[in-house]
């Protein structure tokens, strides 16, 4: 995803809040630089040996798909208006999706590697509890999609944990949000385990810097 697309999404989200009725509370926008971020997502799976598995011919398949990076830069914006909060962030990095999948015939496994350069998150909620979502289904994520047989990103997107923080954090010079969870899933003819962890550190930035980025993205 390009910087222009990410900034356009920030503008749309903040604009939705700004368009609220005039009687609502005055909005306040906070801008941040992402000074560090890391994500680890590991999916292990196998065919579930059920009717769906036999119908599509994936019984006997098993494997691991991983995605992640150790450091990222980026930027984020959050707008608070009354009891409503929206936000968006973009991450720039050098990451990798890697897959190793063994077929039922016992031959050489399928392997695939895909370089990743950007990721994003969306935020919404109330000042007391702001929810941060990665790989939301509405964004059609493809971070676990590879050439090899197996579940796709949309099959497990609903199992990714949500990070939370309060609007108090937005008034700090720096703050960190993070979350981690390992969960079981059963998607179509596959079952397995998804482990996801994320940590993002933010540093306050001038709002006019964000506005300059928004204007340059439209130019």
């Amino acid at each position: 995803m390009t910087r222009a697309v990410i900034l356009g999404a920030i503008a749309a989200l903040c604009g939705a809040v700004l368009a609220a009725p005039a009687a609502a509370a005055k909005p306040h926008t906070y801008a941040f630089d992402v000074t560090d971020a890391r994500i680890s997502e590991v999916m292990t799976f196998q065919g579930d040996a059920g009717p769906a598995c036999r119908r599509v011919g994936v019984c006997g398949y098993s494997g691991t798909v991983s995605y992640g990076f150790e450091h990222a830069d980026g930027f984020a914006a959050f707008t608070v208006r009354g009891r409503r909060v929206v936000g968006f962030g973009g991450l720039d990095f050098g990451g990798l999706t890697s897959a190793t999948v063994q077929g039922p015939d016992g031959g050489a496994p399928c392997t695939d590697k895909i370089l990743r350069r950007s990721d994003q998150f969306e935020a919404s909620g109330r000042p007391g509890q702001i929810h941060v979502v990665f790989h939301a289904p509405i964004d059609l994520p493809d971070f676990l999609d590879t050439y090899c047989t197996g579940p796709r990103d949309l099959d497990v997107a609903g199992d990714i944990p949500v990070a939370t923080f309060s609007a108090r954090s937005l008034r700090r010079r720096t703050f960190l949000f993070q979350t981690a969870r390992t969960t079981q899933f059963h998607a179509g003819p596959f079952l397995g385990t998804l482990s996801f962890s994320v940590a993002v550190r933010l540093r306050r930035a001038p709002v006019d810097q964000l506005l300059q980025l928004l204007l340059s993205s439209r130019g």
Side-chain angles (χ1 to χ4, degrees), residues 34-39 69-74 90-94 117 200-201:
V34 176
T35 59
D36 190 33
R38 65 182 183 274
I39 281 179
F69 53 86
E70 291 297 324
H71 173 74
D73 300 314
L91 306 176
D92 299 320
F93 56 85
R117 298 298 184 189
V200 178
R201 185 171 294 280

PDB file of all heavy atoms in Angstrom, residues 34-39 69-74 90-94 117 200-201:
ATOM      1  N   VAL A  34       5.582   6.777  13.879  1.00  0.00           N
ATOM      2  CA  VAL A  34       5.859   5.436  14.389  1.00  0.00           C
ATOM      3  C   VAL A  34       7.371   5.294  14.456  1.00  0.00           C
ATOM      4  O   VAL A  34       8.055   5.320  13.430  1.00  0.00           O
ATOM      5  CB  VAL A  34       5.263   4.348  13.482  1.00  0.00           C
ATOM      6  CG1 VAL A  34       5.664   2.958  13.983  1.00  0.00           C
ATOM      7  CG2 VAL A  34       3.747   4.470  13.430  1.00  0.00           C
ATOM      8  N   THR A  35       7.915   5.201  15.654  1.00  0.00           N
ATOM      9  CA  THR A  35       9.365   5.112  15.809  1.00  0.00           C
ATOM     10  C   THR A  35       9.863   3.673  15.814  1.00  0.00           C
ATOM     11  O   THR A  35      11.035   3.425  15.550  1.00  0.00           O
ATOM     12  CB  THR A  35       9.815   5.802  17.104  1.00  0.00           C
ATOM     13  OG1 THR A  35       9.167   5.182  18.230  1.00  0.00           O
ATOM     14  CG2 THR A  35       9.445   7.286  17.055  1.00  0.00           C
ATOM     15  N   ASP A  36       8.978   2.735  16.107  1.00  0.00           N
ATOM     16  CA  ASP A  36       9.368   1.317  16.082  1.00  0.00           C
ATOM     17  C   ASP A  36       8.104   0.472  16.072  1.00  0.00           C
ATOM     18  O   ASP A  36       7.089   0.845  16.677  1.00  0.00           O
ATOM     19  CB  ASP A  36      10.230   0.959  17.290  1.00  0.00           C
ATOM     20  CG  ASP A  36      10.853  -0.426  17.163  1.00  0.00           C
ATOM     21  OD1 ASP A  36      11.159  -0.832  16.025  1.00  0.00           O
ATOM     22  OD2 ASP A  36      11.036  -1.105  18.191  1.00  0.00           O
ATOM     23  N   ALA A  37       8.153  -0.638  15.378  1.00  0.00           N
ATOM     24  CA  ALA A  37       7.025  -1.574  15.357  1.00  0.00           C
ATOM     25  C   ALA A  37       7.540  -2.946  14.950  1.00  0.00           C
ATOM     26  O   ALA A  37       8.521  -3.064  14.204  1.00  0.00           O
ATOM     27  CB  ALA A  37       5.946  -1.106  14.377  1.00  0.00           C
ATOM     28  N   ARG A  38       6.852  -3.957  15.457  1.00  0.00           N
ATOM     29  CA  ARG A  38       7.180  -5.328  15.055  1.00  0.00           C
ATOM     30  C   ARG A  38       5.907  -6.155  15.041  1.00  0.00           C
ATOM     31  O   ARG A  38       4.995  -5.931  15.835  1.00  0.00           O
ATOM     32  CB  ARG A  38       8.216  -5.951  15.984  1.00  0.00           C
ATOM     33  CG  ARG A  38       7.751  -6.142  17.410  1.00  0.00           C
ATOM     34  CD  ARG A  38       8.850  -6.729  18.280  1.00  0.00           C
ATOM     35  NE  ARG A  38       8.397  -6.993  19.636  1.00  0.00           N
ATOM     36  CZ  ARG A  38       8.397  -6.093  20.613  1.00  0.00           C
ATOM     37  NH1 ARG A  38       8.816  -4.871  20.377  1.00  0.00           N
ATOM     38  NH2 ARG A  38       7.961  -6.433  21.824  1.00  0.00           N
ATOM     39  N   ILE A  39       5.861  -7.089  14.121  1.00  0.00           N
ATOM     40  CA  ILE A  39       4.737  -8.022  14.007  1.00  0.00           C
ATOM     41  C   ILE A  39       5.279  -9.415  13.776  1.00  0.00           C
ATOM     42  O   ILE A  39       6.251  -9.610  13.034  1.00  0.00           O
ATOM     43  CB  ILE A  39       3.797  -7.641  12.845  1.00  0.00           C
ATOM     44  CG1 ILE A  39       2.878  -6.486  13.238  1.00  0.00           C
ATOM     45  CG2 ILE A  39       2.941  -8.831  12.393  1.00  0.00           C
ATOM     46  CD1 ILE A  39       1.927  -6.042  12.136  1.00  0.00           C
ATOM     47  N   PHE A  69       7.988  -8.766  10.663  1.00  0.00           N
ATOM     48  CA  PHE A  69       9.137  -7.888  10.537  1.00  0.00           C
ATOM     49  C   PHE A  69       9.558  -7.480  11.941  1.00  0.00           C
ATOM     50  O   PHE A  69       8.777  -7.539  12.892  1.00  0.00           O
ATOM     51  CB  PHE A  69       8.812  -6.657   9.688  1.00  0.00           C
ATOM     52  CG  PHE A  69       7.597  -5.891  10.134  1.00  0.00           C
ATOM     53  CD1 PHE A  69       7.687  -4.911  11.124  1.00  0.00           C
ATOM     54  CD2 PHE A  69       6.352  -6.158   9.590  1.00  0.00           C
ATOM     55  CE1 PHE A  69       6.567  -4.215  11.542  1.00  0.00           C
ATOM     56  CE2 PHE A  69       5.223  -5.463  10.003  1.00  0.00           C
ATOM     57  CZ  PHE A  69       5.330  -4.489  10.990  1.00  0.00           C
ATOM     58  N   GLU A  70      10.812  -7.044  12.073  1.00  0.00           N
ATOM     59  CA  GLU A  70      11.370  -6.693  13.376  1.00  0.00           C
ATOM     60  C   GLU A  70      11.405  -5.196  13.640  1.00  0.00           C
ATOM     61  O   GLU A  70      11.538  -4.766  14.782  1.00  0.00           O
ATOM     62  CB  GLU A  70      12.798  -7.266  13.506  1.00  0.00           C
ATOM     63  CG  GLU A  70      12.834  -8.777  13.608  1.00  0.00           C
ATOM     64  CD  GLU A  70      12.133  -9.281  14.862  1.00  0.00           C
ATOM     65  OE1 GLU A  70      12.219  -8.603  15.913  1.00  0.00           O
ATOM     66  OE2 GLU A  70      11.489 -10.341  14.793  1.00  0.00           O
ATOM     67  N   HIS A  71      11.311  -4.383  12.603  1.00  0.00           N
ATOM     68  CA  HIS A  71      11.340  -2.932  12.793  1.00  0.00           C
ATOM     69  C   HIS A  71      10.579  -2.255  11.668  1.00  0.00           C
ATOM     70  O   HIS A  71      10.658  -2.683  10.515  1.00  0.00           O
ATOM     71  CB  HIS A  71      12.768  -2.399  12.831  1.00  0.00           C
ATOM     72  CG  HIS A  71      12.830  -0.902  12.868  1.00  0.00           C
ATOM     73  ND1 HIS A  71      12.526  -0.180  14.001  1.00  0.00           N
ATOM     74  CD2 HIS A  71      13.122   0.003  11.898  1.00  0.00           C
ATOM     75  CE1 HIS A  71      12.644   1.110  13.737  1.00  0.00           C
ATOM     76  NE2 HIS A  71      13.003   1.261  12.465  1.00  0.00           N
ATOM     77  N   ALA A  72       9.857  -1.207  12.008  1.00  0.00           N
ATOM     78  CA  ALA A  72       9.132  -0.431  11.001  1.00  0.00           C
ATOM     79  C   ALA A  72       9.089   1.027  11.417  1.00  0.00           C
ATOM     80  O   ALA A  72       9.107   1.355  12.607  1.00  0.00           O
ATOM     81  CB  ALA A  72       7.713  -0.959  10.817  1.00  0.00           C
ATOM     82  N   ASP A  73       9.044   1.899  10.419  1.00  0.00           N
ATOM     83  CA  ASP A  73       8.757   3.310  10.623  1.00  0.00           C
ATOM     84  C   ASP A  73       7.350   3.567  10.095  1.00  0.00           C
ATOM     85  O   ASP A  73       6.750   2.714   9.455  1.00  0.00           O
ATOM     86  CB  ASP A  73       9.758   4.186   9.863  1.00  0.00           C
ATOM     87  CG  ASP A  73      11.187   3.951  10.320  1.00  0.00           C
ATOM     88  OD1 ASP A  73      11.404   3.899  11.546  1.00  0.00           O
ATOM     89  OD2 ASP A  73      12.075   3.807   9.459  1.00  0.00           O
ATOM     90  N   GLY A  74       6.844   4.768  10.333  1.00  0.00           N
ATOM     91  CA  GLY A  74       5.527   5.084   9.788  1.00  0.00           C
ATOM     92  C   GLY A  74       4.932   6.294  10.459  1.00  0.00           C
ATOM     93  O   GLY A  74       5.642   7.121  11.047  1.00  0.00           O
ATOM     94  N   GLY A  90       0.019   3.812   9.146  1.00  0.00           N
ATOM     95  CA  GLY A  90       0.718   3.077   8.106  1.00  0.00           C
ATOM     96  C   GLY A  90       2.141   2.757   8.531  1.00  0.00           C
ATOM     97  O   GLY A  90       2.797   3.566   9.199  1.00  0.00           O
ATOM     98  N   LEU A  91       2.623   1.573   8.198  1.00  0.00           N
ATOM     99  CA  LEU A  91       3.951   1.113   8.569  1.00  0.00           C
ATOM    100  C   LEU A  91       4.757   0.813   7.313  1.00  0.00           C
ATOM    101  O   LEU A  91       4.260   0.173   6.377  1.00  0.00           O
ATOM    102  CB  LEU A  91       3.866  -0.158   9.426  1.00  0.00           C
ATOM    103  CG  LEU A  91       2.983  -0.091  10.673  1.00  0.00           C
ATOM    104  CD1 LEU A  91       2.929  -1.468  11.340  1.00  0.00           C
ATOM    105  CD2 LEU A  91       3.498   0.946  11.643  1.00  0.00           C
ATOM    106  N   ASP A  92       6.012   1.269   7.297  1.00  0.00           N
ATOM    107  CA  ASP A  92       6.942   0.995   6.193  1.00  0.00           C
ATOM    108  C   ASP A  92       8.075   0.136   6.732  1.00  0.00           C
ATOM    109  O   ASP A  92       8.694   0.472   7.749  1.00  0.00           O
ATOM    110  CB  ASP A  92       7.506   2.302   5.628  1.00  0.00           C
ATOM    111  CG  ASP A  92       6.417   3.200   5.056  1.00  0.00           C
ATOM    112  OD1 ASP A  92       5.506   2.668   4.408  1.00  0.00           O
ATOM    113  OD2 ASP A  92       6.491   4.422   5.266  1.00  0.00           O
ATOM    114  N   PHE A  93       8.409  -0.944   6.035  1.00  0.00           N
ATOM    115  CA  PHE A  93       9.397  -1.881   6.561  1.00  0.00           C
ATOM    116  C   PHE A  93       9.877  -2.816   5.452  1.00  0.00           C
ATOM    117  O   PHE A  93       9.408  -2.767   4.314  1.00  0.00           O
ATOM    118  CB  PHE A  93       8.794  -2.706   7.697  1.00  0.00           C
ATOM    119  CG  PHE A  93       7.534  -3.441   7.294  1.00  0.00           C
ATOM    120  CD1 PHE A  93       7.589  -4.677   6.681  1.00  0.00           C
ATOM    121  CD2 PHE A  93       6.283  -2.869   7.498  1.00  0.00           C
ATOM    122  CE1 PHE A  93       6.436  -5.339   6.282  1.00  0.00           C
ATOM    123  CE2 PHE A  93       5.128  -3.514   7.114  1.00  0.00           C
ATOM    124  CZ  PHE A  93       5.201  -4.750   6.502  1.00  0.00           C
ATOM    125  N   GLY A  94      10.776  -3.688   5.817  1.00  0.00           N
ATOM    126  CA  GLY A  94      11.169  -4.799   4.962  1.00  0.00           C
ATOM    127  C   GLY A  94      10.800  -6.078   5.664  1.00  0.00           C
ATOM    128  O   GLY A  94      11.461  -6.478   6.628  1.00  0.00           O
ATOM    129  N   ARG A 117       6.371  -4.766   2.109  1.00  0.00           N
ATOM    130  CA  ARG A 117       6.912  -3.431   2.336  1.00  0.00           C
ATOM    131  C   ARG A 117       6.032  -2.544   3.200  1.00  0.00           C
ATOM    132  O   ARG A 117       6.493  -1.509   3.684  1.00  0.00           O
ATOM    133  CB  ARG A 117       7.148  -2.737   0.982  1.00  0.00           C
ATOM    134  CG  ARG A 117       8.162  -3.428   0.091  1.00  0.00           C
ATOM    135  CD  ARG A 117       9.517  -3.464   0.731  1.00  0.00           C
ATOM    136  NE  ARG A 117      10.522  -4.047  -0.153  1.00  0.00           N
ATOM    137  CZ  ARG A 117      11.752  -4.361   0.221  1.00  0.00           C
ATOM    138  NH1 ARG A 117      12.105  -4.172   1.489  1.00  0.00           N
ATOM    139  NH2 ARG A 117      12.600  -4.883  -0.632  1.00  0.00           N
ATOM    140  N   VAL A 200       3.701  -1.551  18.768  1.00  0.00           N
ATOM    141  CA  VAL A 200       3.922  -0.323  18.006  1.00  0.00           C
ATOM    142  C   VAL A 200       4.203   0.813  18.982  1.00  0.00           C
ATOM    143  O   VAL A 200       3.410   1.053  19.900  1.00  0.00           O
ATOM    144  CB  VAL A 200       2.699   0.035  17.130  1.00  0.00           C
ATOM    145  CG1 VAL A 200       2.931   1.341  16.380  1.00  0.00           C
ATOM    146  CG2 VAL A 200       2.384  -1.096  16.161  1.00  0.00           C
ATOM    147  N   ARG A 201       5.322   1.499  18.782  1.00  0.00           N
ATOM    148  CA  ARG A 201       5.666   2.652  19.614  1.00  0.00           C
ATOM    149  C   ARG A 201       5.471   3.932  18.813  1.00  0.00           C
ATOM    150  O   ARG A 201       5.962   4.050  17.677  1.00  0.00           O
ATOM    151  CB  ARG A 201       7.115   2.564  20.128  1.00  0.00           C
ATOM    152  CG  ARG A 201       7.463   3.684  21.101  1.00  0.00           C
ATOM    153  CD  ARG A 201       8.814   3.439  21.763  1.00  0.00           C
ATOM    154  NE  ARG A 201       8.782   2.268  22.628  1.00  0.00           N
ATOM    155  CZ  ARG A 201       8.301   2.255  23.856  1.00  0.00           C
ATOM    156  NH1 ARG A 201       7.770   3.364  24.377  1.00  0.00           N
ATOM    157  NH2 ARG A 201       8.334   1.154  24.569  1.00  0.00           N
TER     158      ARG A 201
END
